[in-house]
Amino acid sequence: MGAVIQFFRGVAERAVPDIRLTRSRDGRTGQALFVFEEPDALAPESMGDITGMFLVDEEGELVTREVKARFVNGKATALECTFTWKNTEDFERFMRFAQRYAEGHDLGFSGNQGEEEAEPQGQERGQQEEL
């Protein structure tokens, strides 16, 4: 089994997110912001309420409950999820998941002044703004 992202247990999300990492200066804490444009989880035939984002791989599962929908003209069009880590071990575990997910979805990593972002390889990048 490769690494998958799920919003409903047992159902892999097919939309590949834009992922932006931010870390504290000492590298111990930080967060990953996942943005899914038009994910399957928002389709009318989806399975119900989204209670979290589940990052699943051979080591187990990472979970975040920080999931928000972005709306355009009253219709949910994207999901924004934040996964936070509080120590180096959690960061390393997240990065192992991220590496497996990237390998399985043809993603590459690019850095920008302390931030890292996963994106499809070969895709042009725009200027990244500080949050």
Side-chain angles (χ1 to χ4, degrees), residues 1-6 10-13 54-62 93 96-106:
M1 172 183 110
V4 297
I5 298 175
Q6 301 175 349
V11 180
E13 176 57 55
F54 309 97
L55 311 176
V56 183
D57 64 11
E58 61 258 26
E59 286 186 58
E61 181 178 272
L62 300 169
R93 169 64 180 102
R96 288 191 304 274
F97 168 83
Q99 184 64 42
R100 292 176 185 123
Y101 186 82
E103 288 170 0
H105 293 83
D106 293 325

PDB file of all heavy atoms in Angstrom, residues 1-6 10-13 54-62 93 96-106:
ATOM      1  N   MET A   1       0.846  -1.188   0.000  1.00  0.00           N
ATOM      2  CA  MET A   1       0.000   0.000   0.000  1.00  0.00           C
ATOM      3  C   MET A   1       0.881   1.236   0.000  1.00  0.00           C
ATOM      4  O   MET A   1       1.806   1.355   0.779  1.00  0.00           O
ATOM      5  CB  MET A   1      -0.877  -0.007   1.254  1.00  0.00           C
ATOM      6  CG  MET A   1      -1.645   1.292   1.439  1.00  0.00           C
ATOM      7  SD  MET A   1      -2.608   1.287   2.957  1.00  0.00           S
ATOM      8  CE  MET A   1      -1.679   2.481   3.902  1.00  0.00           C
ATOM      9  N   GLY A   2       0.577   2.166  -0.874  1.00  0.00           N
ATOM     10  CA  GLY A   2       1.289   3.443  -0.890  1.00  0.00           C
ATOM     11  C   GLY A   2       0.653   4.406   0.099  1.00  0.00           C
ATOM     12  O   GLY A   2      -0.292   4.074   0.805  1.00  0.00           O
ATOM     13  N   ALA A   3       1.163   5.598   0.129  1.00  0.00           N
ATOM     14  CA  ALA A   3       0.611   6.631   0.998  1.00  0.00           C
ATOM     15  C   ALA A   3      -0.611   7.258   0.334  1.00  0.00           C
ATOM     16  O   ALA A   3      -0.591   7.577  -0.850  1.00  0.00           O
ATOM     17  CB  ALA A   3       1.673   7.683   1.269  1.00  0.00           C
ATOM     18  N   VAL A   4      -1.684   7.413   1.103  1.00  0.00           N
ATOM     19  CA  VAL A   4      -2.913   8.015   0.589  1.00  0.00           C
ATOM     20  C   VAL A   4      -3.445   9.030   1.595  1.00  0.00           C
ATOM     21  O   VAL A   4      -3.144   8.967   2.787  1.00  0.00           O
ATOM     22  CB  VAL A   4      -4.013   6.965   0.288  1.00  0.00           C
ATOM     23  CG1 VAL A   4      -3.583   6.018  -0.804  1.00  0.00           C
ATOM     24  CG2 VAL A   4      -4.415   6.207   1.532  1.00  0.00           C
ATOM     25  N   ILE A   5      -4.245   9.937   1.075  1.00  0.00           N
ATOM     26  CA  ILE A   5      -4.961  10.897   1.910  1.00  0.00           C
ATOM     27  C   ILE A   5      -6.432  10.553   1.818  1.00  0.00           C
ATOM     28  O   ILE A   5      -6.954  10.295   0.730  1.00  0.00           O
ATOM     29  CB  ILE A   5      -4.700  12.342   1.432  1.00  0.00           C
ATOM     30  CG1 ILE A   5      -3.210  12.669   1.555  1.00  0.00           C
ATOM     31  CG2 ILE A   5      -5.556  13.322   2.232  1.00  0.00           C
ATOM     32  CD1 ILE A   5      -2.810  14.016   0.997  1.00  0.00           C
ATOM     33  N   GLN A   6      -7.084  10.527   2.975  1.00  0.00           N
ATOM     34  CA  GLN A   6      -8.511  10.176   3.028  1.00  0.00           C
ATOM     35  C   GLN A   6      -9.275  11.230   3.817  1.00  0.00           C
ATOM     36  O   GLN A   6      -8.767  11.763   4.806  1.00  0.00           O
ATOM     37  CB  GLN A   6      -8.702   8.822   3.716  1.00  0.00           C
ATOM     38  CG  GLN A   6      -7.993   7.676   3.037  1.00  0.00           C
ATOM     39  CD  GLN A   6      -8.109   6.372   3.819  1.00  0.00           C
ATOM     40  OE1 GLN A   6      -8.536   6.333   4.967  1.00  0.00           O
ATOM     41  NE2 GLN A   6      -7.712   5.292   3.179  1.00  0.00           N
ATOM     42  N   GLY A  10     -11.085   4.642   4.409  1.00  0.00           N
ATOM     43  CA  GLY A  10     -11.119   3.621   3.384  1.00  0.00           C
ATOM     44  C   GLY A  10     -11.294   4.147   1.970  1.00  0.00           C
ATOM     45  O   GLY A  10     -11.281   3.376   1.023  1.00  0.00           O
ATOM     46  N   VAL A  11     -11.464   5.470   1.799  1.00  0.00           N
ATOM     47  CA  VAL A  11     -11.673   6.049   0.474  1.00  0.00           C
ATOM     48  C   VAL A  11     -10.551   7.054   0.196  1.00  0.00           C
ATOM     49  O   VAL A  11     -10.496   8.122   0.812  1.00  0.00           O
ATOM     50  CB  VAL A  11     -13.041   6.766   0.375  1.00  0.00           C
ATOM     51  CG1 VAL A  11     -13.232   7.366  -1.012  1.00  0.00           C
ATOM     52  CG2 VAL A  11     -14.171   5.815   0.727  1.00  0.00           C
ATOM     53  N   ALA A  12      -9.662   6.695  -0.724  1.00  0.00           N
ATOM     54  CA  ALA A  12      -8.533   7.576  -1.051  1.00  0.00           C
ATOM     55  C   ALA A  12      -9.026   8.774  -1.854  1.00  0.00           C
ATOM     56  O   ALA A  12      -9.811   8.627  -2.794  1.00  0.00           O
ATOM     57  CB  ALA A  12      -7.479   6.814  -1.844  1.00  0.00           C
ATOM     58  N   GLU A  13      -8.565   9.956  -1.463  1.00  0.00           N
ATOM     59  CA  GLU A  13      -8.867  11.180  -2.208  1.00  0.00           C
ATOM     60  C   GLU A  13      -8.005  11.197  -3.466  1.00  0.00           C
ATOM     61  O   GLU A  13      -6.796  11.021  -3.396  1.00  0.00           O
ATOM     62  CB  GLU A  13      -8.569  12.417  -1.344  1.00  0.00           C
ATOM     63  CG  GLU A  13      -8.756  13.733  -2.054  1.00  0.00           C
ATOM     64  CD  GLU A  13     -10.147  13.944  -2.621  1.00  0.00           C
ATOM     65  OE1 GLU A  13     -11.132  13.840  -1.864  1.00  0.00           O
ATOM     66  OE2 GLU A  13     -10.252  14.198  -3.843  1.00  0.00           O
ATOM     67  N   PHE A  54      -7.058  12.218   6.957  1.00  0.00           N
ATOM     68  CA  PHE A  54      -6.286  11.077   7.431  1.00  0.00           C
ATOM     69  C   PHE A  54      -5.161  10.806   6.434  1.00  0.00           C
ATOM     70  O   PHE A  54      -5.420  10.575   5.256  1.00  0.00           O
ATOM     71  CB  PHE A  54      -7.197   9.852   7.565  1.00  0.00           C
ATOM     72  CG  PHE A  54      -8.443  10.144   8.364  1.00  0.00           C
ATOM     73  CD1 PHE A  54      -9.628  10.452   7.731  1.00  0.00           C
ATOM     74  CD2 PHE A  54      -8.398  10.156   9.746  1.00  0.00           C
ATOM     75  CE1 PHE A  54     -10.768  10.753   8.455  1.00  0.00           C
ATOM     76  CE2 PHE A  54      -9.531  10.450  10.486  1.00  0.00           C
ATOM     77  CZ  PHE A  54     -10.718  10.749   9.844  1.00  0.00           C
ATOM     78  N   LEU A  55      -3.929  10.865   6.905  1.00  0.00           N
ATOM     79  CA  LEU A  55      -2.745  10.593   6.093  1.00  0.00           C
ATOM     80  C   LEU A  55      -2.328   9.170   6.425  1.00  0.00           C
ATOM     81  O   LEU A  55      -1.880   8.906   7.546  1.00  0.00           O
ATOM     82  CB  LEU A  55      -1.632  11.585   6.422  1.00  0.00           C
ATOM     83  CG  LEU A  55      -2.034  13.069   6.442  1.00  0.00           C
ATOM     84  CD1 LEU A  55      -0.866  13.930   6.886  1.00  0.00           C
ATOM     85  CD2 LEU A  55      -2.553  13.495   5.089  1.00  0.00           C
ATOM     86  N   VAL A  56      -2.499   8.245   5.483  1.00  0.00           N
ATOM     87  CA  VAL A  56      -2.343   6.825   5.763  1.00  0.00           C
ATOM     88  C   VAL A  56      -1.197   6.250   4.932  1.00  0.00           C
ATOM     89  O   VAL A  56      -1.140   6.444   3.711  1.00  0.00           O
ATOM     90  CB  VAL A  56      -3.649   6.061   5.439  1.00  0.00           C
ATOM     91  CG1 VAL A  56      -3.523   4.594   5.788  1.00  0.00           C
ATOM     92  CG2 VAL A  56      -4.835   6.691   6.161  1.00  0.00           C
ATOM     93  N   ASP A  57      -0.289   5.530   5.605  1.00  0.00           N
ATOM     94  CA  ASP A  57       0.781   4.811   4.915  1.00  0.00           C
ATOM     95  C   ASP A  57       1.113   3.555   5.707  1.00  0.00           C
ATOM     96  O   ASP A  57       0.397   3.205   6.659  1.00  0.00           O
ATOM     97  CB  ASP A  57       2.010   5.701   4.685  1.00  0.00           C
ATOM     98  CG  ASP A  57       2.688   6.157   5.965  1.00  0.00           C
ATOM     99  OD1 ASP A  57       2.370   5.638   7.063  1.00  0.00           O
ATOM    100  OD2 ASP A  57       3.561   7.036   5.886  1.00  0.00           O
ATOM    101  N   GLU A  58       2.195   2.870   5.322  1.00  0.00           N
ATOM    102  CA  GLU A  58       2.501   1.596   5.972  1.00  0.00           C
ATOM    103  C   GLU A  58       2.870   1.735   7.439  1.00  0.00           C
ATOM    104  O   GLU A  58       2.819   0.771   8.188  1.00  0.00           O
ATOM    105  CB  GLU A  58       3.598   0.833   5.217  1.00  0.00           C
ATOM    106  CG  GLU A  58       4.910   1.559   5.123  1.00  0.00           C
ATOM    107  CD  GLU A  58       5.126   2.213   3.756  1.00  0.00           C
ATOM    108  OE1 GLU A  58       4.146   2.536   3.081  1.00  0.00           O
ATOM    109  OE2 GLU A  58       6.291   2.399   3.398  1.00  0.00           O
ATOM    110  N   GLU A  59       3.220   2.943   7.895  1.00  0.00           N
ATOM    111  CA  GLU A  59       3.533   3.148   9.315  1.00  0.00           C
ATOM    112  C   GLU A  59       2.283   3.363  10.153  1.00  0.00           C
ATOM    113  O   GLU A  59       2.340   3.304  11.367  1.00  0.00           O
ATOM    114  CB  GLU A  59       4.443   4.366   9.497  1.00  0.00           C
ATOM    115  CG  GLU A  59       5.870   4.149   9.081  1.00  0.00           C
ATOM    116  CD  GLU A  59       6.729   5.343   9.436  1.00  0.00           C
ATOM    117  OE1 GLU A  59       6.804   5.707  10.630  1.00  0.00           O
ATOM    118  OE2 GLU A  59       7.326   5.917   8.515  1.00  0.00           O
ATOM    119  N   GLY A  60       1.178   3.683   9.499  1.00  0.00           N
ATOM    120  CA  GLY A  60      -0.041   3.943  10.253  1.00  0.00           C
ATOM    121  C   GLY A  60      -0.775   5.147   9.708  1.00  0.00           C
ATOM    122  O   GLY A  60      -0.869   5.335   8.502  1.00  0.00           O
ATOM    123  N   GLU A  61      -1.258   5.994  10.628  1.00  0.00           N
ATOM    124  CA  GLU A  61      -2.141   7.079  10.247  1.00  0.00           C
ATOM    125  C   GLU A  61      -1.790   8.344  11.021  1.00  0.00           C
ATOM    126  O   GLU A  61      -1.555   8.294  12.225  1.00  0.00           O
ATOM    127  CB  GLU A  61      -3.569   6.643  10.563  1.00  0.00           C
ATOM    128  CG  GLU A  61      -4.642   7.617  10.232  1.00  0.00           C
ATOM    129  CD  GLU A  61      -6.013   7.048  10.555  1.00  0.00           C
ATOM    130  OE1 GLU A  61      -6.590   6.377   9.690  1.00  0.00           O
ATOM    131  OE2 GLU A  61      -6.490   7.258  11.684  1.00  0.00           O
ATOM    132  N   LEU A  62      -1.757   9.464  10.308  1.00  0.00           N
ATOM    133  CA  LEU A  62      -1.664  10.784  10.925  1.00  0.00           C
ATOM    134  C   LEU A  62      -3.020  11.445  10.703  1.00  0.00           C
ATOM    135  O   LEU A  62      -3.606  11.303   9.629  1.00  0.00           O
ATOM    136  CB  LEU A  62      -0.561  11.620  10.260  1.00  0.00           C
ATOM    137  CG  LEU A  62       0.851  11.042  10.323  1.00  0.00           C
ATOM    138  CD1 LEU A  62       1.786  11.816   9.403  1.00  0.00           C
ATOM    139  CD2 LEU A  62       1.367  11.066  11.746  1.00  0.00           C
ATOM    140  N   ARG A  93       8.198  12.003  11.125  1.00  0.00           N
ATOM    141  CA  ARG A  93       7.141  11.057  10.735  1.00  0.00           C
ATOM    142  C   ARG A  93       6.317  11.643   9.590  1.00  0.00           C
ATOM    143  O   ARG A  93       6.008  10.955   8.612  1.00  0.00           O
ATOM    144  CB  ARG A  93       6.259  10.732  11.949  1.00  0.00           C
ATOM    145  CG  ARG A  93       4.987   9.974  11.625  1.00  0.00           C
ATOM    146  CD  ARG A  93       5.276   8.584  11.056  1.00  0.00           C
ATOM    147  NE  ARG A  93       4.039   7.898  10.760  1.00  0.00           N
ATOM    148  CZ  ARG A  93       3.519   7.771   9.534  1.00  0.00           C
ATOM    149  NH1 ARG A  93       4.141   8.261   8.477  1.00  0.00           N
ATOM    150  NH2 ARG A  93       2.386   7.133   9.350  1.00  0.00           N
ATOM    151  N   ARG A  96       8.235  11.461   6.358  1.00  0.00           N
ATOM    152  CA  ARG A  96       8.253  10.110   5.769  1.00  0.00           C
ATOM    153  C   ARG A  96       6.967   9.870   4.984  1.00  0.00           C
ATOM    154  O   ARG A  96       6.985   9.329   3.880  1.00  0.00           O
ATOM    155  CB  ARG A  96       8.470   9.042   6.842  1.00  0.00           C
ATOM    156  CG  ARG A  96       9.883   9.024   7.401  1.00  0.00           C
ATOM    157  CD  ARG A  96      10.157   7.805   8.249  1.00  0.00           C
ATOM    158  NE  ARG A  96       9.254   7.604   9.364  1.00  0.00           N
ATOM    159  CZ  ARG A  96       9.403   8.151  10.579  1.00  0.00           C
ATOM    160  NH1 ARG A  96      10.417   8.952  10.833  1.00  0.00           N
ATOM    161  NH2 ARG A  96       8.533   7.885  11.543  1.00  0.00           N
ATOM    162  N   PHE A  97       5.830  10.281   5.568  1.00  0.00           N
ATOM    163  CA  PHE A  97       4.562  10.172   4.841  1.00  0.00           C
ATOM    164  C   PHE A  97       4.629  11.004   3.559  1.00  0.00           C
ATOM    165  O   PHE A  97       4.272  10.533   2.480  1.00  0.00           O
ATOM    166  CB  PHE A  97       3.366  10.642   5.690  1.00  0.00           C
ATOM    167  CG  PHE A  97       2.132  10.790   4.850  1.00  0.00           C
ATOM    168  CD1 PHE A  97       1.341   9.700   4.565  1.00  0.00           C
ATOM    169  CD2 PHE A  97       1.806  12.019   4.289  1.00  0.00           C
ATOM    170  CE1 PHE A  97       0.227   9.819   3.738  1.00  0.00           C
ATOM    171  CE2 PHE A  97       0.705  12.149   3.455  1.00  0.00           C
ATOM    172  CZ  PHE A  97      -0.086  11.044   3.181  1.00  0.00           C
ATOM    173  N   ALA A  98       5.082  12.250   3.681  1.00  0.00           N
ATOM    174  CA  ALA A  98       5.118  13.161   2.536  1.00  0.00           C
ATOM    175  C   ALA A  98       5.982  12.605   1.411  1.00  0.00           C
ATOM    176  O   ALA A  98       5.628  12.708   0.233  1.00  0.00           O
ATOM    177  CB  ALA A  98       5.620  14.542   2.970  1.00  0.00           C
ATOM    178  N   GLN A  99       7.110  11.996   1.767  1.00  0.00           N
ATOM    179  CA  GLN A  99       7.993  11.418   0.756  1.00  0.00           C
ATOM    180  C   GLN A  99       7.294  10.270   0.034  1.00  0.00           C
ATOM    181  O   GLN A  99       7.330  10.182  -1.190  1.00  0.00           O
ATOM    182  CB  GLN A  99       9.289  10.927   1.400  1.00  0.00           C
ATOM    183  CG  GLN A  99      10.299  10.403   0.410  1.00  0.00           C
ATOM    184  CD  GLN A  99      10.793  11.477  -0.543  1.00  0.00           C
ATOM    185  OE1 GLN A  99      11.047  12.595  -0.137  1.00  0.00           O
ATOM    186  NE2 GLN A  99      10.913  11.141  -1.810  1.00  0.00           N
ATOM    187  N   ARG A 100       6.630   9.404   0.788  1.00  0.00           N
ATOM    188  CA  ARG A 100       5.902   8.283   0.171  1.00  0.00           C
ATOM    189  C   ARG A 100       4.769   8.784  -0.719  1.00  0.00           C
ATOM    190  O   ARG A 100       4.538   8.273  -1.814  1.00  0.00           O
ATOM    191  CB  ARG A 100       5.351   7.362   1.252  1.00  0.00           C
ATOM    192  CG  ARG A 100       6.417   6.606   2.009  1.00  0.00           C
ATOM    193  CD  ARG A 100       5.818   5.775   3.139  1.00  0.00           C
ATOM    194  NE  ARG A 100       6.873   5.163   3.902  1.00  0.00           N
ATOM    195  CZ  ARG A 100       7.031   5.332   5.206  1.00  0.00           C
ATOM    196  NH1 ARG A 100       6.190   6.052   5.912  1.00  0.00           N
ATOM    197  NH2 ARG A 100       8.032   4.745   5.832  1.00  0.00           N
ATOM    198  N   TYR A 101       4.040   9.806  -0.233  1.00  0.00           N
ATOM    199  CA  TYR A 101       2.934  10.369  -1.002  1.00  0.00           C
ATOM    200  C   TYR A 101       3.470  11.007  -2.282  1.00  0.00           C
ATOM    201  O   TYR A 101       2.917  10.816  -3.367  1.00  0.00           O
ATOM    202  CB  TYR A 101       2.166  11.388  -0.160  1.00  0.00           C
ATOM    203  CG  TYR A 101       0.917  11.892  -0.847  1.00  0.00           C
ATOM    204  CD1 TYR A 101      -0.259  11.147  -0.817  1.00  0.00           C
ATOM    205  CD2 TYR A 101       0.922  13.100  -1.530  1.00  0.00           C
ATOM    206  CE1 TYR A 101      -1.404  11.599  -1.450  1.00  0.00           C
ATOM    207  CE2 TYR A 101      -0.213  13.559  -2.171  1.00  0.00           C
ATOM    208  CZ  TYR A 101      -1.374  12.807  -2.127  1.00  0.00           C
ATOM    209  OH  TYR A 101      -2.503  13.247  -2.770  1.00  0.00           O
ATOM    210  N   ALA A 102       4.556  11.757  -2.163  1.00  0.00           N
ATOM    211  CA  ALA A 102       5.151  12.421  -3.325  1.00  0.00           C
ATOM    212  C   ALA A 102       5.586  11.395  -4.370  1.00  0.00           C
ATOM    213  O   ALA A 102       5.333  11.571  -5.566  1.00  0.00           O
ATOM    214  CB  ALA A 102       6.336  13.277  -2.897  1.00  0.00           C
ATOM    215  N   GLU A 103       6.234  10.330  -3.926  1.00  0.00           N
ATOM    216  CA  GLU A 103       6.695   9.301  -4.858  1.00  0.00           C
ATOM    217  C   GLU A 103       5.525   8.639  -5.578  1.00  0.00           C
ATOM    218  O   GLU A 103       5.613   8.321  -6.755  1.00  0.00           O
ATOM    219  CB  GLU A 103       7.519   8.252  -4.119  1.00  0.00           C
ATOM    220  CG  GLU A 103       8.885   8.769  -3.703  1.00  0.00           C
ATOM    221  CD  GLU A 103       9.622   7.822  -2.762  1.00  0.00           C
ATOM    222  OE1 GLU A 103       9.078   6.743  -2.420  1.00  0.00           O
ATOM    223  OE2 GLU A 103      10.735   8.179  -2.352  1.00  0.00           O
ATOM    224  N   GLY A 104       4.420   8.450  -4.871  1.00  0.00           N
ATOM    225  CA  GLY A 104       3.257   7.797  -5.467  1.00  0.00           C
ATOM    226  C   GLY A 104       2.415   8.695  -6.354  1.00  0.00           C
ATOM    227  O   GLY A 104       1.541   8.228  -7.074  1.00  0.00           O
ATOM    228  N   HIS A 105       2.658  10.018  -6.302  1.00  0.00           N
ATOM    229  CA  HIS A 105       1.823  10.959  -7.057  1.00  0.00           C
ATOM    230  C   HIS A 105       2.640  11.894  -7.946  1.00  0.00           C
ATOM    231  O   HIS A 105       2.168  12.968  -8.316  1.00  0.00           O
ATOM    232  CB  HIS A 105       0.961  11.777  -6.088  1.00  0.00           C
ATOM    233  CG  HIS A 105      -0.065  10.951  -5.393  1.00  0.00           C
ATOM    234  ND1 HIS A 105       0.214  10.213  -4.263  1.00  0.00           N
ATOM    235  CD2 HIS A 105      -1.361  10.701  -5.685  1.00  0.00           C
ATOM    236  CE1 HIS A 105      -0.875   9.571  -3.881  1.00  0.00           C
ATOM    237  NE2 HIS A 105      -1.842   9.843  -4.735  1.00  0.00           N
ATOM    238  N   ASP A 106       3.875  11.501  -8.267  1.00  0.00           N
ATOM    239  CA  ASP A 106       4.740  12.290  -9.156  1.00  0.00           C
ATOM    240  C   ASP A 106       4.890  13.736  -8.704  1.00  0.00           C
ATOM    241  O   ASP A 106       4.757  14.667  -9.497  1.00  0.00           O
ATOM    242  CB  ASP A 106       4.229  12.251 -10.600  1.00  0.00           C
ATOM    243  CG  ASP A 106       4.343  10.866 -11.198  1.00  0.00           C
ATOM    244  OD1 ASP A 106       5.319  10.160 -10.872  1.00  0.00           O
ATOM    245  OD2 ASP A 106       3.449  10.489 -11.974  1.00  0.00           O
TER     246      ASP A 106
END
